[in-house]
Amino acid sequence: MDLILWRHAEAHVLRDGQDDLERTLTPKGERQAQRMAEWLNHRLAHSTRILVSPAVRTQQTAKALDKSFKTLAALAPDAAPDAVLKAVRWPDASEPMLVIGHQPTLGQVAALLLSGQPQDWSVKKGAVWWLRRRDREGVVDTVLQAVQAPDCL
């Protein structure tokens, strides 16, 4: 199973009285989302399911892909890593899953799957971490397939 974790691109700072879910991408964030979407569109399988946080900034990031996606409240800011893994049916999903979400959750998911320990790993704004669960001769493990930041494209 492939699990692709995509942190939303750069967003405006939270203003006084503003709900965090309402923050939008900055012009730089819009460019980051577009660059990463182009990179992903060359690599994603057609069967990839895309799950997105309800926050405006993640919705805008997802729209750069120009593909259909499903919004899940379980992926909102400060979601628990276990909620993300349940939402993507890790490790049993039959199709690749792309999650567009937030820190610290995405870093925590990556740490848990790669190290087996709950840790706060940092995922750069707009970056993708591509994880793959594989079975080689009866040994099941999770490997890091790719890490790509939008500013490096």
Side-chain angles (χ1 to χ4, degrees), residues 5 13-14 33-34 47 54 77 79 81 85 97 131 134-135 144 148 150:
L5 305 173
V13 176
L14 186 65
Q34 191 59 49
S47 62
L85 294 175
M97 302 293 247
L131 311 174
R134 66 180 184 186
D135 183 343
L144 184 60
Q148 184 63 59

Side-chain angles (χ1 to χ4, degrees), residues 34-94:
Q34 191 59 49
R35 279 195 302 270
M36 190 55 63
E38 289 172 11
W39 185 85
L40 282 166
N41 278 328
H42 289 316
R43 291 161 178 81
L44 291 176
H46 292 292
S47 62
T48 302
R49 291 196 55 225
I50 303 167
L51 306 176
V52 184
S53 158
V56 172
R57 60 195 180 273
T58 55
Q59 298 285 308
Q60 289 176 301
T61 300
K63 286 178 183 171
L65 281 169
D66 199 29
K67 296 183 184 297
S68 62
F69 59 87
K70 183 175 182 179
T71 301
L72 290 180
L75 303 178
D78 298 322
D82 289 342
V84 173
L85 294 175
K86 182 178 178 183
V88 300
R89 301 184 328 271
W90 180 269
D92 301 318
S94 59

Side-chain angles (χ1 to χ4, degrees), residues 6-11 24-41 56-66 98 100 125-128 149-151 153:
W6 186 8
R7 183 179 178 191
H8 66 78
E10 182 182 274
T24 59
L25 296 181
T26 64
K28 177 181 178 182
E30 291 172 0
R31 290 188 303 274
Q32 288 174 330
Q34 191 59 49
R35 279 195 302 270
M36 190 55 63
E38 289 172 11
W39 185 85
L40 282 166
N41 278 328
V56 172
R57 60 195 180 273
T58 55
Q59 298 285 308
Q60 289 176 301
T61 300
K63 286 178 183 171
L65 281 169
D66 199 29
L98 169 60
I100 304 174
K125 290 176 186 170
V128 166
D151 299 331
L153 294 173

